[in-house]
PDB file of all heavy atoms in Angstrom:
ATOM      1  N   ILE A 297       0.686 -27.055  33.360  1.00  0.00           N
ATOM      2  CA  ILE A 297       0.970 -26.446  32.006  1.00  0.00           C
ATOM      3  C   ILE A 297       2.286 -26.894  31.443  1.00  0.00           C
ATOM      4  O   ILE A 297       3.204 -27.078  32.227  1.00  0.00           O
ATOM      5  CB  ILE A 297       0.890 -24.816  32.075  1.00  0.00           C
ATOM      6  CG1 ILE A 297       0.961 -24.293  30.678  1.00  0.00           C
ATOM      7  CG2 ILE A 297       1.916 -24.260  32.946  1.00  0.00           C
ATOM      8  CD1 ILE A 297       0.618 -22.777  30.605  1.00  0.00           C
ATOM      9  N   SER A 298       2.363 -27.093  30.125  1.00  0.00           N
ATOM     10  CA  SER A 298       3.632 -27.488  29.514  1.00  0.00           C
ATOM     11  C   SER A 298       3.743 -26.626  28.260  1.00  0.00           C
ATOM     12  O   SER A 298       2.904 -25.809  27.931  1.00  0.00           O
ATOM     13  CB  SER A 298       3.565 -28.985  29.077  1.00  0.00           C
ATOM     14  OG  SER A 298       2.482 -29.157  28.255  1.00  0.00           O
ATOM     15  N   GLY A 299       4.836 -26.805  27.504  1.00  0.00           N
ATOM     16  CA  GLY A 299       5.046 -26.045  26.334  1.00  0.00           C
ATOM     17  C   GLY A 299       6.108 -24.986  26.428  1.00  0.00           C
ATOM     18  O   GLY A 299       6.684 -24.770  27.555  1.00  0.00           O
ATOM     19  N   PRO A 300       6.422 -24.276  25.361  1.00  0.00           N
ATOM     20  CA  PRO A 300       7.550 -23.355  25.357  1.00  0.00           C
ATOM     21  C   PRO A 300       7.523 -22.252  26.371  1.00  0.00           C
ATOM     22  O   PRO A 300       8.564 -21.863  26.913  1.00  0.00           O
ATOM     23  CB  PRO A 300       7.474 -22.716  23.929  1.00  0.00           C
ATOM     24  CG  PRO A 300       6.663 -23.613  23.095  1.00  0.00           C
ATOM     25  CD  PRO A 300       5.728 -24.331  24.078  1.00  0.00           C
ATOM     26  N   ILE A 301       6.295 -21.813  26.771  1.00  0.00           N
ATOM     27  CA  ILE A 301       6.244 -20.711  27.707  1.00  0.00           C
ATOM     28  C   ILE A 301       6.763 -21.033  29.055  1.00  0.00           C
ATOM     29  O   ILE A 301       7.280 -20.160  29.793  1.00  0.00           O
ATOM     30  CB  ILE A 301       4.787 -20.161  27.844  1.00  0.00           C
ATOM     31  CG1 ILE A 301       4.750 -18.739  28.362  1.00  0.00           C
ATOM     32  CG2 ILE A 301       3.914 -21.091  28.685  1.00  0.00           C
ATOM     33  CD1 ILE A 301       5.466 -17.692  27.524  1.00  0.00           C
ATOM     34  N   VAL A 302       6.798 -22.282  29.445  1.00  0.00           N
ATOM     35  CA  VAL A 302       7.266 -22.743  30.733  1.00  0.00           C
ATOM     36  C   VAL A 302       8.785 -22.419  30.922  1.00  0.00           C
ATOM     37  O   VAL A 302       9.218 -21.735  31.831  1.00  0.00           O
ATOM     38  CB  VAL A 302       6.958 -24.213  31.051  1.00  0.00           C
ATOM     39  CG1 VAL A 302       7.528 -24.613  32.373  1.00  0.00           C
ATOM     40  CG2 VAL A 302       5.479 -24.518  30.996  1.00  0.00           C
ATOM     41  N   ASP A 303       9.589 -22.829  29.923  1.00  0.00           N
ATOM     42  CA  ASP A 303      11.067 -22.571  29.931  1.00  0.00           C
ATOM     43  C   ASP A 303      11.316 -21.070  29.841  1.00  0.00           C
ATOM     44  O   ASP A 303      12.194 -20.565  30.487  1.00  0.00           O
ATOM     45  CB  ASP A 303      11.753 -23.335  28.783  1.00  0.00           C
ATOM     46  CG  ASP A 303      11.828 -24.832  29.087  1.00  0.00           C
ATOM     47  OD1 ASP A 303      11.735 -25.221  30.260  1.00  0.00           O
ATOM     48  OD2 ASP A 303      11.979 -25.616  28.131  1.00  0.00           O
ATOM     49  N   ILE A 304      10.532 -20.391  29.019  1.00  0.00           N
ATOM     50  CA  ILE A 304      10.678 -18.946  28.856  1.00  0.00           C
ATOM     51  C   ILE A 304      10.426 -18.278  30.226  1.00  0.00           C
ATOM     52  O   ILE A 304      11.212 -17.437  30.640  1.00  0.00           O
ATOM     53  CB  ILE A 304       9.738 -18.392  27.786  1.00  0.00           C
ATOM     54  CG1 ILE A 304      10.170 -18.855  26.390  1.00  0.00           C
ATOM     55  CG2 ILE A 304       9.672 -16.831  27.826  1.00  0.00           C
ATOM     56  CD1 ILE A 304       9.286 -18.519  25.242  1.00  0.00           C
ATOM     57  N   ALA A 305       9.296 -18.594  30.887  1.00  0.00           N
ATOM     58  CA  ALA A 305       8.956 -18.047  32.170  1.00  0.00           C
ATOM     59  C   ALA A 305      10.044 -18.311  33.230  1.00  0.00           C
ATOM     60  O   ALA A 305      10.345 -17.416  33.986  1.00  0.00           O
ATOM     61  CB  ALA A 305       7.612 -18.597  32.628  1.00  0.00           C
ATOM     62  N   LYS A 306      10.595 -19.504  33.162  1.00  0.00           N
ATOM     63  CA  LYS A 306      11.618 -19.863  34.146  1.00  0.00           C
ATOM     64  C   LYS A 306      12.917 -19.066  33.933  1.00  0.00           C
ATOM     65  O   LYS A 306      13.753 -19.014  34.832  1.00  0.00           O
ATOM     66  CB  LYS A 306      11.849 -21.393  34.144  1.00  0.00           C
ATOM     67  CG  LYS A 306      10.778 -22.144  34.800  1.00  0.00           C
ATOM     68  CD  LYS A 306      10.969 -23.613  34.696  1.00  0.00           C
ATOM     69  CE  LYS A 306       9.865 -24.385  35.452  1.00  0.00           C
ATOM     70  NZ  LYS A 306       9.915 -25.867  35.203  1.00  0.00           N
ATOM     71  N   GLY A 307      13.119 -18.548  32.684  1.00  0.00           N
ATOM     72  CA  GLY A 307      14.326 -17.863  32.409  1.00  0.00           C
ATOM     73  C   GLY A 307      14.265 -16.306  32.528  1.00  0.00           C
ATOM     74  O   GLY A 307      15.303 -15.654  32.555  1.00  0.00           O
ATOM     75  N   ILE A 308      13.072 -15.821  32.577  1.00  0.00           N
ATOM     76  CA  ILE A 308      12.905 -14.307  32.602  1.00  0.00           C
ATOM     77  C   ILE A 308      13.203 -13.751  34.017  1.00  0.00           C
ATOM     78  O   ILE A 308      12.669 -14.257  35.013  1.00  0.00           O
ATOM     79  CB  ILE A 308      11.461 -13.905  32.119  1.00  0.00           C
ATOM     80  CG1 ILE A 308      11.357 -14.197  30.642  1.00  0.00           C
ATOM     81  CG2 ILE A 308      11.141 -12.454  32.449  1.00  0.00           C
ATOM     82  CD1 ILE A 308       9.982 -13.995  30.109  1.00  0.00           C
ATOM     83  N   THR A 309      14.002 -12.688  34.042  1.00  0.00           N
ATOM     84  CA  THR A 309      14.410 -12.068  35.290  1.00  0.00           C
ATOM     85  C   THR A 309      13.288 -11.798  36.257  1.00  0.00           C
ATOM     86  O   THR A 309      12.217 -11.416  35.839  1.00  0.00           O
ATOM     87  CB  THR A 309      15.113 -10.737  34.978  1.00  0.00           C
ATOM     88  OG1 THR A 309      15.380 -10.009  36.197  1.00  0.00           O
ATOM     89  CG2 THR A 309      14.319  -9.868  34.069  1.00  0.00           C
ATOM     90  N   PRO A 310      13.510 -11.935  37.558  1.00  0.00           N
ATOM     91  CA  PRO A 310      12.492 -11.682  38.503  1.00  0.00           C
ATOM     92  C   PRO A 310      12.040 -10.180  38.574  1.00  0.00           C
ATOM     93  O   PRO A 310      11.047  -9.874  39.179  1.00  0.00           O
ATOM     94  CB  PRO A 310      13.145 -12.022  39.880  1.00  0.00           C
ATOM     95  CG  PRO A 310      14.231 -13.013  39.577  1.00  0.00           C
ATOM     96  CD  PRO A 310      14.734 -12.626  38.208  1.00  0.00           C
TER      97      PRO A 310
END
Side-chain angles (χ1 to χ4, degrees):
I297 187 167
S298 59
I301 200 60
V302 178
D303 287 338
I304 289 172
K306 285 178 177 171
I308 289 174
T309 171

